[in-house]
Amino acid sequence: MAELVYPPVIGAAKTLFKAWDLKIDCKGSENIPRSGGAVLVSNHISYLDFIFDGLAALPQKRLVRFMAKESVFRHKISGPLMRGMKHIPVDRKQGEAAYAHALASLRSGEIIGVFPEATISQSFTLKTFKSGAARLAQEAGVPLIPMALWGTQRLWTKGHPRNFKRSHLPVTIRVGEPVEAPKDQYAGAITRRLRERCQELLEAAQRAYPVRPKGPDDTWWMPAHLGGTAPTPAEVKAAEAG
């Protein structure tokens, strides 16, 4: 079936990136297979992460179908676009349909994008990974492709106003080598290995990031363990519980 929506959306995104003069540093795209199914797994620090994750697949001429919360598909603007790009709606109370949809897509040779943390990490550190990505890869017989983003939180993230006026902003993307998901292994063990790879990639992206906070008022986007003022995972958990 012809892709009538995805290519124009990609073109619009590239135009915006050029207008914002984003400095995108992407390494490892060659690890994304040129054909066949795969589960692309990324950390989640911004509302725009799926765009940059998808960008990493373009050098391999691949389009990524992301699993996203169902409410995005009900929005009058984003809904038609998400459906047109064949992304997969996820109802968290009834996830079986989304899982079956993703599995069928993988078996037909598609790349499925998954955020195993499920929600944006407000601490900008890796949260616990859910095992769905590993189980999908096992059942479909496809590899997991770990990746990490850094800098996207400075554009638009949870708890902070979006700021598309930032020019020359760097975004760092790192894609790792495939992680196999053998059917005879426990999904939890594969998930732990996958998270370790994503952690390594995140640290590599952070090391490569070319700028640091400009001053005390610009430390919000750095995690506490790196000297920033983002809340710690424990503080986020306490705030959510309260």
mmCIF file of all heavy atoms in Angstrom, residues 140-171:
data_model
loop_
_atom_site.group_PDB
_atom_site.id
_atom_site.type_symbol
_atom_site.label_atom_id
_atom_site.label_comp_id
_atom_site.label_asym_id
_atom_site.label_seq_id
_atom_site.Cartn_x
_atom_site.Cartn_y
_atom_site.Cartn_z
ATOM 1 N N ALA A 140 7.901 -12.700 17.424
ATOM 2 C CA ALA A 140 7.998 -12.435 15.985
ATOM 3 C C ALA A 140 9.299 -12.959 15.388
ATOM 4 O O ALA A 140 9.436 -13.023 14.160
ATOM 5 C CB ALA A 140 7.878 -10.934 15.723
ATOM 6 N N GLY A 141 10.265 -13.307 16.257
ATOM 7 C CA GLY A 141 11.551 -13.785 15.764
ATOM 8 C C GLY A 141 12.373 -12.690 15.112
ATOM 9 O O GLY A 141 13.029 -12.909 14.088
ATOM 10 N N VAL A 142 12.352 -11.483 15.718
ATOM 11 C CA VAL A 142 13.082 -10.338 15.162
ATOM 12 C C VAL A 142 14.012 -9.764 16.229
ATOM 13 O O VAL A 142 13.817 -10.002 17.424
ATOM 14 C CB VAL A 142 12.111 -9.239 14.669
ATOM 15 C CG1 VAL A 142 11.183 -9.783 13.594
ATOM 16 C CG2 VAL A 142 11.320 -8.627 15.823
ATOM 17 N N PRO A 143 15.023 -8.973 15.824
ATOM 18 C CA PRO A 143 15.937 -8.384 16.808
ATOM 19 C C PRO A 143 15.363 -7.129 17.461
ATOM 20 O O PRO A 143 14.439 -6.498 16.931
ATOM 21 C CB PRO A 143 17.163 -8.034 15.963
ATOM 22 C CG PRO A 143 16.601 -7.752 14.602
ATOM 23 C CD PRO A 143 15.453 -8.715 14.441
ATOM 24 N N LEU A 144 15.934 -6.789 18.602
ATOM 25 C CA LEU A 144 15.665 -5.526 19.276
ATOM 26 C C LEU A 144 16.794 -4.557 18.931
ATOM 27 O O LEU A 144 17.970 -4.943 18.948
ATOM 28 C CB LEU A 144 15.622 -5.730 20.793
ATOM 29 C CG LEU A 144 14.470 -6.593 21.324
ATOM 30 C CD1 LEU A 144 14.907 -7.360 22.561
ATOM 31 C CD2 LEU A 144 13.260 -5.719 21.640
ATOM 32 N N ILE A 145 16.456 -3.329 18.589
ATOM 33 C CA ILE A 145 17.465 -2.317 18.252
ATOM 34 C C ILE A 145 17.442 -1.247 19.347
ATOM 35 O O ILE A 145 16.505 -0.442 19.415
ATOM 36 C CB ILE A 145 17.202 -1.670 16.878
ATOM 37 C CG1 ILE A 145 16.944 -2.723 15.801
ATOM 38 C CG2 ILE A 145 18.359 -0.751 16.499
ATOM 39 C CD1 ILE A 145 18.115 -3.621 15.518
ATOM 40 N N PRO A 146 18.445 -1.215 20.230
ATOM 41 C CA PRO A 146 18.455 -0.216 21.297
ATOM 42 C C PRO A 146 18.940 1.139 20.795
ATOM 43 O O PRO A 146 19.794 1.215 19.900
ATOM 44 C CB PRO A 146 19.448 -0.807 22.298
ATOM 45 C CG PRO A 146 20.420 -1.568 21.450
ATOM 46 C CD PRO A 146 19.606 -2.124 20.289
ATOM 47 N N MET A 147 18.390 2.188 21.364
ATOM 48 C CA MET A 147 18.869 3.514 20.999
ATOM 49 C C MET A 147 18.635 4.481 22.145
ATOM 50 O O MET A 147 17.903 4.178 23.101
ATOM 51 C CB MET A 147 18.218 4.016 19.710
ATOM 52 C CG MET A 147 16.743 4.255 19.747
ATOM 53 S SD MET A 147 16.119 4.824 18.129
ATOM 54 C CE MET A 147 17.037 6.353 17.899
ATOM 55 N N ALA A 148 19.271 5.649 22.060
ATOM 56 C CA ALA A 148 19.122 6.663 23.102
ATOM 57 C C ALA A 148 19.149 8.044 22.483
ATOM 58 O O ALA A 148 19.848 8.293 21.486
ATOM 59 C CB ALA A 148 20.234 6.531 24.142
ATOM 60 N N LEU A 149 18.361 8.917 23.083
ATOM 61 C CA LEU A 149 18.282 10.320 22.660
ATOM 62 C C LEU A 149 18.752 11.211 23.796
ATOM 63 O O LEU A 149 18.538 10.902 24.976
ATOM 64 C CB LEU A 149 16.833 10.694 22.320
ATOM 65 C CG LEU A 149 16.121 9.886 21.240
ATOM 66 C CD1 LEU A 149 14.635 10.221 21.262
ATOM 67 C CD2 LEU A 149 16.708 10.197 19.878
ATOM 68 N N TRP A 150 19.342 12.336 23.448
ATOM 69 C CA TRP A 150 19.678 13.336 24.452
ATOM 70 C C TRP A 150 19.559 14.732 23.842
ATOM 71 O O TRP A 150 19.980 14.948 22.708
ATOM 72 C CB TRP A 150 21.090 13.134 25.014
ATOM 73 C CG TRP A 150 21.336 13.959 26.238
ATOM 74 C CD1 TRP A 150 22.209 14.991 26.383
ATOM 75 C CD2 TRP A 150 20.662 13.828 27.498
ATOM 76 N NE1 TRP A 150 22.134 15.512 27.653
ATOM 77 C CE2 TRP A 150 21.193 14.819 28.361
ATOM 78 C CE3 TRP A 150 19.663 12.977 27.975
ATOM 79 C CZ2 TRP A 150 20.750 14.976 29.671
ATOM 80 C CZ3 TRP A 150 19.228 13.139 29.281
ATOM 81 C CH2 TRP A 150 19.769 14.112 30.110
ATOM 82 N N GLY A 151 18.934 15.642 24.584
ATOM 83 C CA GLY A 151 18.742 17.015 24.112
ATOM 84 C C GLY A 151 17.311 17.311 23.723
ATOM 85 O O GLY A 151 16.908 18.479 23.703
ATOM 86 N N THR A 152 16.532 16.276 23.411
ATOM 87 C CA THR A 152 15.148 16.513 22.994
ATOM 88 C C THR A 152 14.301 17.095 24.123
ATOM 89 O O THR A 152 13.317 17.797 23.874
ATOM 90 C CB THR A 152 14.494 15.208 22.497
ATOM 91 O OG1 THR A 152 14.522 14.223 23.547
ATOM 92 C CG2 THR A 152 15.230 14.660 21.285
ATOM 93 N N GLN A 153 14.700 16.814 25.379
ATOM 94 C CA GLN A 153 13.948 17.341 26.514
ATOM 95 C C GLN A 153 13.985 18.864 26.570
ATOM 96 O O GLN A 153 13.120 19.502 27.178
ATOM 97 C CB GLN A 153 14.452 16.735 27.838
ATOM 98 C CG GLN A 153 15.785 17.262 28.353
ATOM 99 C CD GLN A 153 16.991 16.528 27.802
ATOM 100 O OE1 GLN A 153 16.981 16.077 26.669
ATOM 101 N NE2 GLN A 153 18.039 16.425 28.604
ATOM 102 N N ARG A 154 14.976 19.464 25.936
ATOM 103 C CA ARG A 154 15.108 20.928 25.961
ATOM 104 C C ARG A 154 14.096 21.599 25.038
ATOM 105 O O ARG A 154 13.857 22.804 25.154
ATOM 106 C CB ARG A 154 16.540 21.326 25.573
ATOM 107 C CG ARG A 154 17.599 20.784 26.527
ATOM 108 C CD ARG A 154 18.992 21.131 26.056
ATOM 109 N NE ARG A 154 19.235 22.569 26.144
ATOM 110 C CZ ARG A 154 20.224 23.193 25.520
ATOM 111 N NH1 ARG A 154 21.049 22.508 24.731
ATOM 112 N NH2 ARG A 154 20.390 24.493 25.651
ATOM 113 N N LEU A 155 13.513 20.824 24.115
ATOM 114 C CA LEU A 155 12.499 21.363 23.215
ATOM 115 C C LEU A 155 11.105 21.314 23.838
ATOM 116 O O LEU A 155 10.372 22.308 23.833
ATOM 117 C CB LEU A 155 12.501 20.589 21.895
ATOM 118 C CG LEU A 155 13.650 20.876 20.932
ATOM 119 C CD1 LEU A 155 13.703 19.812 19.851
ATOM 120 C CD2 LEU A 155 13.488 22.255 20.309
ATOM 121 N N TRP A 156 10.746 20.109 24.360
ATOM 122 C CA TRP A 156 9.393 19.963 24.903
ATOM 123 C C TRP A 156 9.325 18.693 25.727
ATOM 124 O O TRP A 156 9.467 17.591 25.191
ATOM 125 C CB TRP A 156 8.380 19.915 23.758
ATOM 126 C CG TRP A 156 6.941 19.988 24.187
ATOM 127 C CD1 TRP A 156 6.440 20.379 25.401
ATOM 128 C CD2 TRP A 156 5.808 19.663 23.385
ATOM 129 N NE1 TRP A 156 5.075 20.319 25.409
ATOM 130 C CE2 TRP A 156 4.647 19.878 24.177
ATOM 131 C CE3 TRP A 156 5.646 19.212 22.078
ATOM 132 C CZ2 TRP A 156 3.365 19.652 23.713
ATOM 133 C CZ3 TRP A 156 4.365 18.984 21.605
ATOM 134 C CH2 TRP A 156 3.238 19.215 22.402
ATOM 135 N N THR A 157 9.114 18.857 27.021
ATOM 136 C CA THR A 157 9.029 17.687 27.890
ATOM 137 C C THR A 157 7.980 17.906 28.963
ATOM 138 O O THR A 157 7.460 19.016 29.140
ATOM 139 C CB THR A 157 10.396 17.369 28.523
ATOM 140 O OG1 THR A 157 10.344 16.071 29.122
ATOM 141 C CG2 THR A 157 10.786 18.392 29.593
ATOM 142 N N LYS A 158 7.689 16.874 29.681
ATOM 143 C CA LYS A 158 6.658 16.917 30.714
ATOM 144 C C LYS A 158 7.078 17.845 31.858
ATOM 145 O O LYS A 158 8.201 17.778 32.350
ATOM 146 C CB LYS A 158 6.427 15.506 31.248
ATOM 147 C CG LYS A 158 5.226 15.358 32.159
ATOM 148 C CD LYS A 158 5.007 13.894 32.508
ATOM 149 C CE LYS A 158 3.778 13.701 33.372
ATOM 150 N NZ LYS A 158 3.555 12.268 33.683
ATOM 151 N N GLY A 159 6.156 18.718 32.252
ATOM 152 C CA GLY A 159 6.424 19.604 33.374
ATOM 153 C C GLY A 159 7.137 20.886 33.022
ATOM 154 O O GLY A 159 7.424 21.701 33.908
ATOM 155 N N HIS A 160 7.423 21.088 31.730
ATOM 156 C CA HIS A 160 8.104 22.305 31.293
ATOM 157 C C HIS A 160 7.414 22.825 30.031
ATOM 158 O O HIS A 160 6.954 22.035 29.200
ATOM 159 C CB HIS A 160 9.577 22.032 30.985
ATOM 160 C CG HIS A 160 10.375 21.657 32.191
ATOM 161 N ND1 HIS A 160 10.972 22.580 33.011
ATOM 162 C CD2 HIS A 160 10.658 20.436 32.726
ATOM 163 C CE1 HIS A 160 11.600 21.950 34.000
ATOM 164 N NE2 HIS A 160 11.416 20.652 33.848
ATOM 165 N N PRO A 161 7.342 24.153 29.858
ATOM 166 C CA PRO A 161 6.718 24.681 28.645
ATOM 167 C C PRO A 161 7.544 24.337 27.414
ATOM 168 O O PRO A 161 8.776 24.268 27.479
ATOM 169 C CB PRO A 161 6.698 26.194 28.894
ATOM 170 C CG PRO A 161 7.786 26.434 29.883
ATOM 171 C CD PRO A 161 7.827 25.219 30.758
ATOM 172 N N ARG A 162 6.863 24.068 26.317
ATOM 173 C CA ARG A 162 7.605 23.788 25.088
ATOM 174 C C ARG A 162 8.307 25.059 24.640
ATOM 175 O O ARG A 162 7.815 26.170 24.826
ATOM 176 C CB ARG A 162 6.664 23.272 24.006
ATOM 177 C CG ARG A 162 5.565 24.217 23.611
ATOM 178 C CD ARG A 162 4.572 23.531 22.702
ATOM 179 N NE ARG A 162 3.434 24.384 22.381
ATOM 180 C CZ ARG A 162 2.301 23.948 21.855
ATOM 181 N NH1 ARG A 162 2.145 22.662 21.601
ATOM 182 N NH2 ARG A 162 1.330 24.780 21.583
ATOM 183 N N ASN A 163 9.463 24.880 24.044
ATOM 184 C CA ASN A 163 10.252 26.025 23.606
ATOM 185 C C ASN A 163 10.826 25.734 22.229
ATOM 186 O O ASN A 163 11.906 25.166 22.100
ATOM 187 C CB ASN A 163 11.374 26.328 24.605
ATOM 188 C CG ASN A 163 12.066 27.650 24.301
ATOM 189 O OD1 ASN A 163 11.885 28.218 23.216
ATOM 190 N ND2 ASN A 163 12.839 28.145 25.239
ATOM 191 N N PHE A 164 10.064 26.121 21.204
ATOM 192 C CA PHE A 164 10.514 25.917 19.842
ATOM 193 C C PHE A 164 11.299 27.123 19.322
ATOM 194 O O PHE A 164 11.647 27.189 18.144
ATOM 195 C CB PHE A 164 9.331 25.634 18.925
ATOM 196 C CG PHE A 164 8.574 24.379 19.281
ATOM 197 C CD1 PHE A 164 7.243 24.235 18.965
ATOM 198 C CD2 PHE A 164 9.210 23.341 19.936
ATOM 199 C CE1 PHE A 164 6.543 23.079 19.290
ATOM 200 C CE2 PHE A 164 8.535 22.181 20.279
ATOM 201 C CZ PHE A 164 7.193 22.047 19.950
ATOM 202 N N LYS A 165 11.569 28.071 20.212
ATOM 203 C CA LYS A 165 12.350 29.242 19.813
ATOM 204 C C LYS A 165 13.844 29.013 19.978
ATOM 205 O O LYS A 165 14.645 29.836 19.568
ATOM 206 C CB LYS A 165 11.920 30.455 20.652
ATOM 207 C CG LYS A 165 10.486 30.892 20.406
ATOM 208 C CD LYS A 165 10.123 32.096 21.263
ATOM 209 C CE LYS A 165 8.672 32.522 21.035
ATOM 210 N NZ LYS A 165 8.289 33.681 21.879
ATOM 211 N N ARG A 166 14.179 27.896 20.597
ATOM 212 C CA ARG A 166 15.606 27.603 20.782
ATOM 213 C C ARG A 166 16.246 27.309 19.421
ATOM 214 O O ARG A 166 15.847 26.385 18.732
ATOM 215 C CB ARG A 166 15.787 26.382 21.687
ATOM 216 C CG ARG A 166 15.308 26.589 23.120
ATOM 217 C CD ARG A 166 15.492 25.301 23.908
ATOM 218 N NE ARG A 166 14.970 25.415 25.249
ATOM 219 C CZ ARG A 166 15.656 25.865 26.292
ATOM 220 N NH1 ARG A 166 16.893 26.258 26.117
ATOM 221 N NH2 ARG A 166 15.114 25.938 27.494
ATOM 222 N N SER A 167 17.220 28.078 19.044
ATOM 223 C CA SER A 167 17.903 27.843 17.774
ATOM 224 C C SER A 167 19.270 27.222 18.051
ATOM 225 O O SER A 167 19.832 27.379 19.138
ATOM 226 C CB SER A 167 18.070 29.152 16.998
ATOM 227 O OG SER A 167 18.794 30.096 17.758
ATOM 228 N N HIS A 168 19.766 26.521 17.066
ATOM 229 C CA HIS A 168 21.082 25.866 17.136
ATOM 230 C C HIS A 168 21.150 24.801 18.234
ATOM 231 O O HIS A 168 22.238 24.438 18.670
ATOM 232 C CB HIS A 168 22.209 26.895 17.357
ATOM 233 C CG HIS A 168 22.073 28.155 16.565
ATOM 234 N ND1 HIS A 168 22.046 28.158 15.180
ATOM 235 C CD2 HIS A 168 21.931 29.441 16.947
ATOM 236 C CE1 HIS A 168 21.905 29.409 14.754
ATOM 237 N NE2 HIS A 168 21.828 30.197 15.808
ATOM 238 N N LEU A 169 20.006 24.304 18.667
ATOM 239 C CA LEU A 169 20.004 23.360 19.779
ATOM 240 C C LEU A 169 20.515 21.998 19.319
ATOM 241 O O LEU A 169 20.057 21.474 18.315
ATOM 242 C CB LEU A 169 18.587 23.230 20.354
ATOM 243 C CG LEU A 169 18.443 22.429 21.641
ATOM 244 C CD1 LEU A 169 17.354 23.050 22.506
ATOM 245 C CD2 LEU A 169 18.078 20.985 21.348
ATOM 246 N N PRO A 170 21.445 21.401 20.056
ATOM 247 C CA PRO A 170 21.944 20.076 19.674
ATOM 248 C C PRO A 170 20.997 18.962 20.123
ATOM 249 O O PRO A 170 20.395 19.037 21.190
ATOM 250 C CB PRO A 170 23.284 19.964 20.422
ATOM 251 C CG PRO A 170 23.526 21.299 21.051
ATOM 252 C CD PRO A 170 22.203 21.966 21.174
ATOM 253 N N VAL A 171 20.870 17.949 19.289
ATOM 254 C CA VAL A 171 20.166 16.716 19.638
ATOM 255 C C VAL A 171 21.096 15.561 19.272
ATOM 256 O O VAL A 171 21.573 15.476 18.137
ATOM 257 C CB VAL A 171 18.833 16.579 18.883
ATOM 258 C CG1 VAL A 171 18.238 15.188 19.098
ATOM 259 C CG2 VAL A 171 17.842 17.644 19.334
#
